[in-house]
Every structure is written in structure tokens, then in C-alpha cells.
Amino acid sequence: MNMQLDDNRRLRHFLSLEGLGYDALDRLLNRASEFSAEIGAPAVTTDAFRGRTVANLFFEPSTRTRASFELAARRLGCNVLNLDLNVSSTSKGETVLDTARTIAAMNVDALVVRHGDAGTQEMLARELPHVAILNAGEAHLNHPTQGLLDAMTIRQHFPDFRKLHIAIVGDIRHSRVARSAAQAFSQLGCGEIHLVAPRELQPDDEIPGELFTDMDAGVRDCDVVMMLRIQKERMQAGNIPDKKAYFEAFGLDARRLEFARPNALVMHPGPMNRGTEISDEVADGSQSVIWQQVNNGVAVRMAVLAELLENRN
Ligand code: NCD
């Protein structure tokens, strides 16, 4: 059962891209494009959701995702409540539920939740069905608005996913970004997904795509090279790779980018570790769409929030 959908297959919560299907992804991406304005242009805003309240409950540190959700809600006309709950992870399920229940009791319409424990957002959706739960990052498993914004960015350059070869490179094992992105790309019909990582950072679960341990082979002829941050906070101290050795084997620099197609897009979800997974010249180069990803993030979050708030009527 996909518990984010109601009996009429309408979106009630936004927990994962898994199983959402082409039509829902396409609908959300089209709606997001209506909310998008180029970098430097005035933002698209509406009063359509005036009087609604969105609360951001972040149990893990976050700058860009929290800011992006906050702007998205404000640009829809909502009231926004921000709670940084980044305390030591001794707080167990019950405490999280009580925190969420407390906020939900104040006639809040949507809870945007980031948490390091798998299953937190699903538990909240089950326990608090009267409020929409949006997953803003769940352990190493789900980051569905990130997957959507990645798909949106690629679609702006390459409208037909069926022809595309996309490489996702780096710490795939610990990356909720890689999982959500691969789920989006595969449901949009992506031709090939290459999951490129050193053996110790390969996933031990099923992610759509083909595994590569050699970066040159993994990015060869790809239309998109999506780099990931090394998630040191999810590794044991002894397992953190040496920066220089890692960059030599799996970093993206201009020489390596030449293995990809000539107009290949360079992506990164941020925050970037320059010199570890990506060089300055590539991050700041003409093929980089990294700031466009950030720009699209607000638009996709507006689209998801709008749909969830409408479905509560
Ligand atoms: C990502 C995250 O938190 O999962 N960042 C983000 O959403 N801005 C990726 C990362 O932390 O590497």
C-alpha cells in the first residue's frame, strides 16, 4: 500500500517518490514549472493559500532545504513556523510524535519533517492523518523533493528522459539524494542510470540503475553527471576516505568531465565539498546547473505543498 495516497489516489502526504508513478511526477513537475522564475527575476507568488499554516520540523541540521521550504510556503501565502529540533538523537519515536502532535494540534495544515531515523515521516503520517506530512529528508533513504528538483532541472535541458544516460557518482550508500533521484529518473523512463561509487560506498539495498566502480567508465557518454557529497556524519571515523585519494579516483574535474557527452550537465545537491568530490573549475564551469537546482527547489516545494493543501479541502 502506498500510504501517501488516498482511496482516489490523491496525494495526502509526500513521503517518497517510490511507486508514485509517471503521471504524478509529470503533474508535479509541470506545476513546478508554473512556479519557477529564473535566477535574478522576481519570485512567483500567490495568495491562494493565505491563512494556511506550514510548520518546518527539522530534527537534523539544514540550511538550504529549510530555507527552500520556508520560501515555498511563504510564496504560496502560508504562515510558516520554523522549529529547529536538532538535539541529540536520544529522543525516541514517542518524543518525536509528541512534538509533532503538539504542533499539529495548533491547526497546522502541513508538517515538513527532516529526521535521521528511517520511518519517522511514515509513522507521523499514520499517527496524524489529519495533517499533511512532507518528507524533507529521512535517514539515508528518502529526500523526495530533492529527487523532483533534480528531475526538473534535467527536464529543462533534456525534455525526453528515455534517451538519457545519467551518472550518479559518489557516496551512494549513505545518500537519500541518490535514492530519490534514481527513483524519479527511472519512473520518468530514463534510458540508463549509472551508480558510480567505490566498493565500500556502494548501496546494500536495491536502487534503480547499474553499478560501476570505475569513474571513467561510469561517466562515459553520459548526458548528466550528478555528484554527491561524502556523508562523513554517517560514517565511522576509520571509514572516512582520504580526501586526495578520493578526489583522484571519484572526483569530477575537467579532465574527467570530458568522458561525458560534450554538453553534459554537472549537478550537485549541495553542500559541496570542493576539492573532495568536485573541482572549482567544474562546479563553477559552464556545464554546471548547481544553482539552477537550488532555484528549482523552491518551485517543486511550492508545487508539492499546493497539491497537498488542495487535497485537504
Ligand atoms: C542533502 C541532504 O541533506 O540530504 N542536502 C540537501 O538537501 N541540501 C544532501 C547532502 O547533505 O549531502
Side-chain angles (χ1 to χ4, degrees):
M1 185 195 70
N2 195 329
M3 70 170 296
Q4 56 195 342
L5 304 176
D6 68 12
D7 294 342
N8 299 317
R9 288 194 62 81
R10 293 195 316 171
L11 208 56
R12 303 297 296 181
H13 307 282
F14 194 63
L15 306 177
S16 173
L17 297 180
E18 198 172 10
L20 212 51
Y22 179 90
D23 291 346
L25 292 172
D26 184 56
R27 185 180 68 236
L28 289 167
L29 291 171
N30 289 338
R31 184 128 196 216
S33 65
E34 292 167 23
F35 289 127
S36 112
E38 278 178 27
I39 295 176
V44 176
T45 61
T46 167
D47 271 347
F49 299 94
R50 185 154 304 285
R52 301 301 197 93
T53 305
V54 177
N56 289 321
L57 270 53
F58 279 63
F59 295 89
E60 266 188 359
S62 168
T63 305
R64 75 192 61 218
T65 303
R66 220 217 55 189
S68 183
F69 268 107
E70 178 171 353
L71 288 175
R74 287 192 195 286
R75 288 177 184 167
L76 292 173
C78 300
N79 300 315
V80 183
L81 181 68
N82 285 313
L83 295 176
D84 280 318
L85 304 155
N86 180 26
V87 283
S88 73
S89 59
T90 47
S91 50
K92 289 277 160 52
E94 219 176 14
T95 312
V96 172
L97 175 57
D98 278 345
T99 306
R101 211 199 293 273
T102 302
I103 302 303
M106 302 182 196
N107 304 98
V108 165
D109 298 277
L111 298 179
V112 177
V113 182
R114 171 170 286 201
H115 201 289
D117 292 344
T120 301
Q121 287 85 351
E122 199 179 307
M123 177 274 289
L124 293 176
R126 199 170 47 241
E127 299 294 332
L128 305 172
H130 57 286
V131 49
I133 305 294
L134 272 88
N135 190 343
E138 174 196 1
H140 60 294
L141 291 175
N142 287 295
H143 196 353
T145 56
Q146 177 75 42
L148 262 190
L149 76 86
D150 292 332
M152 177 176 178
T153 307
I154 294 170
R155 242 176 39 159
Q156 288 167 334
H157 295 266
F158 303 116
D160 188 357
F161 266 82
R162 286 171 303 179
K163 300 191 194 111
L164 292 184
H165 293 190
I166 302 178
I168 305 178
V169 184
D171 184 2
I172 300 207
R173 187 185 192 91
H174 301 102
S175 178
R176 54 194 173 208
V177 174
R179 284 172 180 76
S180 285
Q183 288 161 5
F185 303 159
S186 73
Q187 292 178 89
L188 291 167
C190 182
E192 284 186 21
I193 301 172
H194 299 179
L195 304 168
V196 187
R199 253 175 239 298
E200 61 278 15
L201 296 179
Q202 293 203 343
D204 46 20
D205 53 344
E206 273 294 318
I207 303 182
E210 193 188 332
L211 291 172
F212 286 78
T213 45
D214 180 70
M215 173 129 174
D216 296 352
V219 303
R220 191 180 302 280
D221 294 331
C222 279
D223 304 280
V224 177
V225 183
M226 186 173 149
M227 302 305 296
L228 301 171
R229 183 175 67 86
I230 290 278
Q231 310 252 313
K232 290 186 190 142
E233 73 279 15
R234 298 196 197 280
M235 296 178 188
Q236 314 265 313
N239 294 344
I240 296 176
D242 171 72
K243 182 174 159 167
K244 193 161 169 284
Y246 183 84
F247 185 76
E248 266 164 35
F250 291 94
L252 187 65
D253 58 9
R255 181 194 70 79
R256 216 168 232 139
L257 185 55
E258 284 189 10
F259 285 95
R261 292 252 165 89
N263 57 348
L265 306 180
V266 172
M267 301 176 69
H268 193 299
M272 282 187 273
N273 289 312
R274 290 169 179 264
T276 301
E277 67 253 357
I278 191 164
S279 74
D280 287 330
E281 61 184 336
V282 170
D284 303 325
S286 61
Q287 288 167 256
S288 165
V289 293
I290 292 169
W291 310 113
Q292 196 184 337
Q293 289 175 269
V294 177
N295 179 262
N296 287 333
V298 182
V300 300
R301 288 170 181 126
M302 287 174 80
V304 172
L305 264 173
E307 184 161 326
L308 291 176
L309 292 172
E310 280 163 3
N311 289 349
R312 284 170 52 75
N313 286 333

